[in-house]
Amino acid sequence: MDAKQRIDQLRAELHRHNYNYYVLNAPEIPDKAFDDLMRELQDLEAAHPEYMDPNSPTQRVGSDLSKNFTQVAHKYPMLSLGNTYSESEVADFYERVRRGLEGEDFEICCELKYDGTSISLTYEDGRLVQAVTRGDGVQGDVVTDNVKTIRTIPLVLHGDYPPSFEIRGEILMPWESFEALNREREAREEPLFANPRNAASGTLKSQNSAVVAARKLDAYLYYLLGEDLPGDGHYENLQAARAWGFKISEHMRKARTLQDIYDYIHYWDTERKNLPVATDGIVLKVNSLRQQRSLGYTAKSPRWAIAYKFQAERARTRLNEVTYQVGRTGAVTPVANLDPVQLSGTVVRRASLHNADIIEGLDLHLGDMVYVEKGGEIIPKITGVDTEARDGSLGEKVRFISRCPECGTPLVRYEGEAAHYCPNDTACPPQLKGKIEHFISRRAMDIDGLGPETVDLLYQKGLIRDVSDLYKLRVEDLKGRERMGLKTAENIISGIAASRAVPFERVLFALGIRFVGETVAKKLARAFGSIDALRRADMQALTDVDEIGDRIAQSITAYFANPLNRALVERLEQAGLQFSRTEEDMAGQTDRLAGQTVVISGVFARHSRDEYKALIEKHGGKNTGSISAKTSFILAGDNMGPAKLEKARKLGVRIVGEDDFLQMIDES
Ligand code: IVH
């Protein structure tokens, strides 16, 4: 078998296993075997770039290239549905359809209304060619590369599909992925997503498809459009689409009577809580396409379909107290303590009040009867006060605290931010513990065996006050403490010892300087080479570094201006941590591309895109995703897109081939 044949065979097999695994939930082979096939294909494709196929199963991993989304007009506009909130409105819809069809028999297809972000997929000859967001309904963003990373969306179809059609559906982030994502974001001090819908649409618009690939999105498809669909039934056509490889909800049902529809609504009103994804209602559609056409459309929505929205669940209960939590960054969050109340299957005792403005806006008083809602959010929130229930006996007005509940330091509010902060970042206990947790986390010092609980324990026992204390711990300090045997204790101590080898850039990130995330830490490590040089850098020197602005620079100077921080760094230096870049880090680095901005485009023979990106950075250049007047040159492989070529020509940007580039940086 020649390479091309093997590549085709592997692609077909991987498409099939992918479908079995992600759509049918019924894998036929172990994960390891799948990975092996994938690796074989990746290797073959790398060796034979001439057989590159944008729909290959390998293309689901995403790339680091930034994308500027282009917009296209929808072939068929993406309309929305009329909403109803009561059974009587559903009855009105049913009656309108009956009259519109002049007494003809009809079926209604009942479906779940998925609460994500809608997408329109175009397939030509069984291959996904384009994915477009709803946008304004008339035109949307082309997000094909991002959508390709979603495993439940088939890139290549099987069976008897029409040569050309569109299929629409909802892209969703399952609750589980959503919660995991928010936990990660919290740990990295990034703003949380309020609900899975925002997380899904935010992710889909990400500039980096590798991020999309990592976020575990899912998709349900519920609407086929095209000239030559298999039959006249919406329901039946979707069953056929399932056989082509699409993920179609198993919960669609056909109803004949109004009572059938009510039964469906009642069932899902409670049962939806057990689904892995968010839903916010039921969609009712006339099943026959012929009847759909005869009913037609109003200006905004079809006459043949309607949405029934579930009531947002709300409970009424008493506000007893407002307490305040201090996070690792010092941000203070007000929390309402409530009389326990049943809401969406759980007992709610606490609800977030977010910030001082929200409290003020609600005009909260202790003892108030308040409304709590869960909606799509994970943390319940207070949405209103039952002022009628106050009957003259108004409790004490809730006023945001002015001092930190943990350490008593007066709180501050930074310009443009809603939150209050405790500025005492060198002595406030939750901030200290949070700093240690950040320091040991995987992306920072990555200390094996040490987790938040152990940190809490060691902190309480007075064994650690700051991260430098970790390096003084001995096995004897740990063993015999709660849940800690000799083996565990030894593991922790050796994990701490091993962290002395962690490179400077990660040590810098681990210090937890405000606004110095992983990327910034890398940039700083590169630009200054050592903590001494960084400590001495003034605002000018700092902001001279690419992408370091005033906000970050100020935070760094403030950090080193504090003698406590300087002393901590000194203790860590004495403990043997890496506070400068090693020879190894710097080996082979040059300034050959200093000041140059390079766009990578096309398919390459000698190195992968990621390798080229690393080479650009190693030689002091910067890789960006889109061509602009600032682009110094384009590193172009084969098959560079026509739009990019055109843009390059317009702006007069130089195009450099792979071999010339390697010569330029002297790595050929
Ligand atoms: S059908 C013309 N079916 O709800 C009818 N929509 O307001 C096209 N949605 O934008 C939509 N689940 O994002 C349909 N089973 C379902 C749905 C559904 C969720 C969303 C969709 C649409 C919005 C309608």
Side-chain angles (χ1 to χ4, degrees), residues 269-330:
D269 199 2
T270 50
E271 203 47 41
R272 71 191 182 104
K273 285 157 208 154
N274 300 319
L275 292 169
V277 294
T279 53
D280 61 343
I282 299 289
V283 178
L284 303 172
K285 299 173 184 167
V286 171
N287 196 50
S288 155
L289 303 189
R290 180 183 55 78
Q291 290 178 336
Q292 288 184 2
R293 279 190 298 272
S294 110
L295 288 162
Y297 295 82
T298 70
K300 280 190 306 200
S301 50
R303 288 203 181 84
W304 47 266
I306 202 157
Y308 167 85
K309 301 268 274 219
F310 297 125
Q311 288 272 318
E313 279 183 280
R314 191 168 91 149
R316 186 173 164 278
T317 187
R318 184 179 307 279
L319 172 71
N320 294 319
E321 193 191 2
V322 175
T323 52
Y324 297 84
Q325 275 175 357
V326 185
R328 136 163 118 81
T329 58

Side-chain angles (χ1 to χ4, degrees), residues 78-83 111-119 134 169-170 222-223 280 283 285 297 302 304-305 307:
M78 283 180 89
L79 300 177
S80 61
L81 295 171
N83 284 329
E111 304 173 13
L112 289 167
K113 185 168 189 299
Y114 291 103
D115 194 12
T117 181
S118 46
I119 193 78
R134 180 170 186 279
E170 205 79 355
Y222 47 63
Y223 189 26
D280 61 343
V283 178
K285 299 173 184 167
Y297 295 82
W304 47 266

Side-chain angles (χ1 to χ4, degrees), residues 54-69:
N55 286 63
S56 167
T58 56
Q59 300 305 301
R60 291 197 192 260
V61 289
S63 89
D64 270 329
L65 279 189
S66 304
K67 288 160 207 83
N68 293 327
F69 299 115

